[in-house]
Amino acid sequence: MRVVLAEDHFLLRDGVTRLLQAFGHEVLAAVDNGPLLHEALTSLRPDVAVVDVRLPPTFSDEGLRAAVSARTEVPGLPVLLLSQYVEPLYAHELLATGSEGVGYVLKERVSNGAEFIATIERVAGGGTAMDPEVVSKLVTGKSRDEPLNSLTPREREVLECLAQGLSNAGIAEALFVTEKAVAKHVSNIFMKLELPPTESANRRVLAVLAYLDR
Amino acid sequence: MKSTRQHIDAAAPGGSGAAGGLKAFRRSLTLWFLAHRAMWLSLWLGIVWSALRGPVGLKLLPGTVRMVRALADRERAYAARWSGVDIPAVYPELPASGAERAKALRSQLLDRGNQVRRDWRWVHLHAFVGGAIALGPLALALTGVWGLWTAAMGTELPAEWGSLWFLFIPVGDPATAALAGVLGAAFLPLSVFWAAPLSLRLHARYLNLLLAPSESELLAARVEHLKSTRSDAVDSQMSEIRRIERDLHDGAQARLVAMGMTLNAAEHLLETNPDAVRELLVEARQSSTAALKELRDLVKGIHPPILADRGLADAVRSLAMICPLRTEVVIDLPSRPEPPVESAMYFAMSEILTNAAKHSGAERCWIDLRYEAGALRASVVDDGQGGADVSAGTGLRGVERRLAHFDGVLAVSSPPGGPTQMTMELPCELSSPKTTSS
């Protein structure tokens, strides 16, 4: 994979670069501010961007804004946001630019190298990767909402895993059930959220959006 | 302060046209009725006053003062609502217990320059002055009716009664009767459209003249208010710092120490027991995750990152997003208020939304946040069962205090059965330019 990395802390930038290289990926650019990031994203067209939300010069949401504007210019550009904290509004804004190839995880997930790399690869492959914290916040937040109300607790758990971007096999492993059971839950979820099977749209992502978008 | 709170629900002064005139006329009748009440109160006050030296008068005093204040409050509210004249009232503090209270009231009555004494003086005058002002429109209307009546009876009655006058007109033949009729008819619109609104305006001005506190008194009250809110602010800041210190000490710091110890143990076991080392390392990593989470929560409690990044509007949107209620948000802020004001409003909103989600049993909730007339105004309405009470819990009290640091107020309307409306008003300037949210 060809990766662009934006992170203003030298230690983290260096660490993630080395981690990526150790897993055999190429780091095209490792930048430390918003304007440079936007420049790198639009000119280098990486396979995936790993972006810290808070970057110079404003130290607010510079990274998010650069990523969002790059994604409007280069549709489908995979972006994985890293952040010190969970902000559902940011997840929402990122998803508004398209739901494929996006991720938003806490910075501390970096400390588990293999898992972190797997997350990046999932996003690069067009999947979604929402941090369990983001998901659980939105899930508890909107627990009274229709039609999510009609989901059973188990289906809700499965949907949470879907939102994190896990495959059926991954969900089965996480929830200690068989893959067949997961497939059944997933199809139930699609039915209850009224997501008919189509050729084009990724129903798994749509189901996740049903959560995030109320 | 009471006066500001009234300001929040003050409707715009009445409409125009026939309906407006009739409304003003009806209001002047209400005022006239209140003037009667003032007359009885004034008589009663005379009795209490003459008995004031004895124990009986002292016993009657608190109730009497309360009645006078209720009447004055009502008239002040009318002046604010009908004429837009805000008359501040600064009542001196009173001791709680009965006997002391009565004595304090007596000394306030004898002292010059305080609200109790002013109310007292006003009630005596009001029976006459207020009555006369309020009677104007009615008197004009009655004159008009008399004119019409004399016009109708003008040809027959004078013969029986000897003579019949309308104003300066001796009514006797069809010509004078017609004149009286025309004049009388002219009095009716005059009463409704001119006299009634005028009497309401006069009432407000005269009330202001008699009841409004002096500059120095207002200033003293203001100083008192500032003193108490400042000490409140200092106290709450102090306890906030203590909380942060405690949270750091017991939470993240302790976890980091534990992590160091675990790593140390792992180092010792490295050669002899690799399996145990693996377990210890997992433990250390969990500790670091937990410490990070605690630090994150702590930062959020001090100053939410979204508020720092995006400002109040988006921070409130974010609150609505994670609020369990189905929430509709309308925000109209041209730019950002000062950071401390933003923060006060944010935490107030957060507390109110949490309350609504926890206790109200509501399904839906509407947030309206706007900048208007030099103040940040927010209202949160839910469709729950109501019954929220500022004096009951510590939560709303805390919101009130938080806003009071900036001279803001919280108004709660929450009848049993709902709905609950919380209105917050925070005077402030908008300054720093808006951060674009793309």
Side-chain angles (χ1 to χ4, degrees):
Chain A
M1 279 190 314
R2 298 154 61 247
V3 185
V4 162
L5 171 67
E7 163 64 60
D8 58 321
H9 281 275
F10 169 73
L11 283 176
L12 263 179
R13 189 168 66 236
D14 206 43
V16 173
T17 307
R18 251 184 276 166
L19 184 65
L20 281 164
Q21 280 161 351
F23 277 81
H25 298 302
E26 181 190 354
V27 176
L28 296 179
V31 299
D32 64 356
N33 67 60
L36 277 182
L37 168 64
H38 185 260
E39 163 76 33
L41 288 183
T42 47
S43 64
L44 299 175
R45 308 274 170 117
D47 296 328
V48 63
V50 179
V51 176
D52 181 8
V53 168
R54 190 177 271 190
L55 285 180
T58 59
F59 285 105
S60 57
D61 56 351
E62 195 76 26
L64 169 68
R65 276 190 277 146
V68 164
S69 81
R71 264 176 76 86
T72 38
E73 280 172 52
V74 187
L77 175 75
V79 171
L80 174 66
L81 284 183
L82 301 181
S83 176
Q84 210 72 257
Y85 58 92
V86 168
E87 182 45 67
L89 190 67
Y90 291 172
H92 201 266
E93 284 176 14
L94 185 66
L95 283 164
T97 63
S99 52
E100 298 192 13
V102 292
Y104 180 20
V105 297
L106 284 172
K107 258 190 190 174
E108 66 206 48
R109 308 286 172 215
V110 175
S111 61
N112 189 340
E115 203 184 299
F116 181 61
I117 292 291
T119 306
I120 297 179
E121 283 167 351
R122 206 157 67 216
V123 172
T128 46
M130 288 293 148
D131 199 278
E133 283 243 357
V134 185
V135 176
S136 76
K137 260 201 176 174
L138 288 161
V139 171
T140 49
K142 294 301 165 209
S143 58
R144 290 194 197 185
D145 261 23
E146 299 287 338
L148 298 177
N149 251 347
S150 56
L151 297 186
T152 64
R154 183 52 115 184
E155 284 162 1
R156 206 176 278 272
E157 280 173 11
V158 172
L159 185 50
E160 269 187 60
C161 292
L162 273 184
Q164 289 164 36
L166 296 179
S167 65
N168 280 6
I171 297 172
E173 198 177 314
L175 299 181
F176 303 109
V177 291
T178 62
E179 237 184 286
K180 220 170 136 192
V182 173
K184 195 160 157 279
H185 286 310
V186 170
S187 73
N188 276 345
I189 292 170
F190 289 159
M191 200 184 63
K192 287 185 180 173
L193 299 185
E194 292 168 13
L195 298 169
T198 54
E199 297 275 316
S200 58
N202 183 344
R203 282 196 294 165
R204 298 174 76 92
V205 176
L206 286 179
V208 173
L209 282 179
Y211 248 142
L212 300 181
D213 258 343
R214 65 160 62 195
Chain B
M1 256 196 250
K2 175 121 189 145
S3 56
T4 4
R5 187 173 299 187
Q6 277 172 356
H7 190 71
I8 290 182
D9 19 72
S16 56
L22 285 176
K23 202 190 270 171
F25 188 77
R26 214 170 52 233
R27 286 171 174 175
S28 75
L29 288 184
T30 309
L31 290 180
W32 192 49
F33 162 74
L34 286 182
H36 284 92
R37 190 173 286 184
M39 188 178 73
W40 292 117
L41 262 178
S42 160
L43 287 176
W44 173 242
L45 280 178
I47 297 170
V48 174
W49 176 263
S50 60
L52 204 53
R53 304 223 168 267
V56 181
L58 217 50
K59 208 159 208 124
L60 292 175
L61 193 56
T64 312
V65 169
R66 207 161 44 236
M67 284 192 290
V68 173
R69 178 168 175 176
L71 183 65
D73 276 345
R74 197 164 156 195
E75 299 247 359
R76 272 189 288 254
Y78 285 154
R81 214 154 69 208
W82 294 345
S83 311
V85 177
D86 237 333
I87 303 166
V90 183
Y91 285 93
E93 294 273 333
L94 280 177
S97 93
E100 308 241 324
R101 198 185 181 88
K103 282 202 188 105
L105 278 174
R106 184 170 65 185
S107 68
Q108 281 172 17
L109 266 187
L110 299 176
D111 256 6
R112 277 172 194 286
N114 66 69
Q115 194 69 49
V116 175
R117 163 98 175 196
R118 262 198 305 278
D119 284 4
W120 190 278
R121 186 186 61 188
W122 163 77
V123 133
H124 290 309
L125 267 176
H126 191 61
F128 306 101
V129 183
I133 291 177
L135 185 60
L138 182 63
L140 280 187
L142 287 177
T143 310
V145 170
W146 174 247
L148 290 176
W149 193 73
T150 50
M153 300 293 175
T155 45
E156 290 156 33
L157 268 184
E160 269 177 53
W161 288 13
S163 71
L164 184 66
W165 286 76
F166 173 65
L167 299 177
F168 48 87
I169 306 161
V171 181
D173 53 56
T176 50
L179 186 60
V182 169
L183 277 178
F187 266 92
L188 290 178
L190 206 62
S191 141
V192 169
F193 292 112
W194 175 74
L198 179 70
S199 106
L200 291 188
R201 275 203 303 278
L202 274 179
H203 168 260
R205 274 171 60 185
Y206 129 90
L207 211 63
N208 194 26
L209 204 68
L210 280 184
L211 285 184
S214 66
E215 286 285 314
S216 66
E217 220 175 314
L218 277 179
L219 212 58
R222 177 103 190 104
V223 168
E224 201 48 50
H225 175 71
L226 288 178
K227 231 157 79 183
S228 80
T229 51
R230 186 186 63 175
S231 83
D232 256 6
V234 171
D235 281 355
S236 62
Q237 187 140 30
M238 218 36 235
S239 66
E240 182 73 2
I241 288 173
R242 296 226 24 152
R243 181 186 69 80
I244 294 166
E245 188 265 342
R246 207 174 41 238
D247 282 2
L248 277 176
H249 189 77
D250 298 348
Q253 209 174 343
R255 283 195 196 280
L256 289 175
V257 170
M259 209 167 103
M261 283 159 57
T262 313
L263 288 175
N264 200 357
E267 204 179 331
H268 279 293
L269 290 173
L270 198 54
E271 302 289 327
T272 52
N273 192 348
D275 281 343
V277 169
R278 186 166 296 124
E279 257 171 53
L280 285 174
L281 287 179
V282 168
E283 200 180 299
R285 203 177 67 205
Q286 281 165 349
S287 259
S288 88
T289 310
L292 278 170
K293 185 166 171 4
E294 272 167 20
L295 283 174
R296 221 168 23 235
D297 290 346
L298 191 62
V299 167
K300 197 149 186 284
I302 300 169
H303 193 66
I306 179 87
L307 188 60
D309 290 359
R310 289 288 187 83
L312 187 60
D314 274 355
V316 168
R317 280 189 196 106
S318 166
L319 273 182
M321 218 168 187
I322 55 174
C323 175
L325 306 179
R326 198 185 277 257
T327 313
E328 268 172 52
V329 188
V330 176
I331 294 179
D332 182 8
L333 288 181
S335 62
R336 288 179 66 166
E338 294 290 337
V341 172
E342 271 193 330
S343 172
M345 184 54 100
Y346 174 87
F347 282 110
M349 291 276 254
S350 167
E351 173 76 34
I352 283 176
L353 282 176
T354 312
N355 260 355
K358 258 198 210 150
H359 307 301
S360 74
E363 293 271 313
R364 307 179 58 114
C365 166
W366 295 264
I367 298 174
D368 186 299
L369 174 67
R370 57 187 66 246
Y371 186 75
E372 234 173 38
L376 203 56
R377 283 155 201 257
S379 83
V380 179
V381 183
D382 70 52
D383 61 352
Q385 76 241 354
D389 184 3
V390 178
S391 53
T394 53
L396 286 178
R397 183 67 83 207
V399 169
E400 214 172 32
R401 255 205 306 275
R402 207 183 267 281
L403 297 175
H405 298 169
F406 300 91
D407 265 351
V409 286
L410 166 74
V412 177
S413 151
S414 185
T420 298
Q421 170 159 21
M422 306 266 179
T423 312
M424 288 167 282
E425 195 178 278
L426 207 50
C428 68
E429 311 242 314
L430 294 185
S431 54
S432 39
K434 185 178 185 174
T435 356
T436 52
S437 50
S438 45

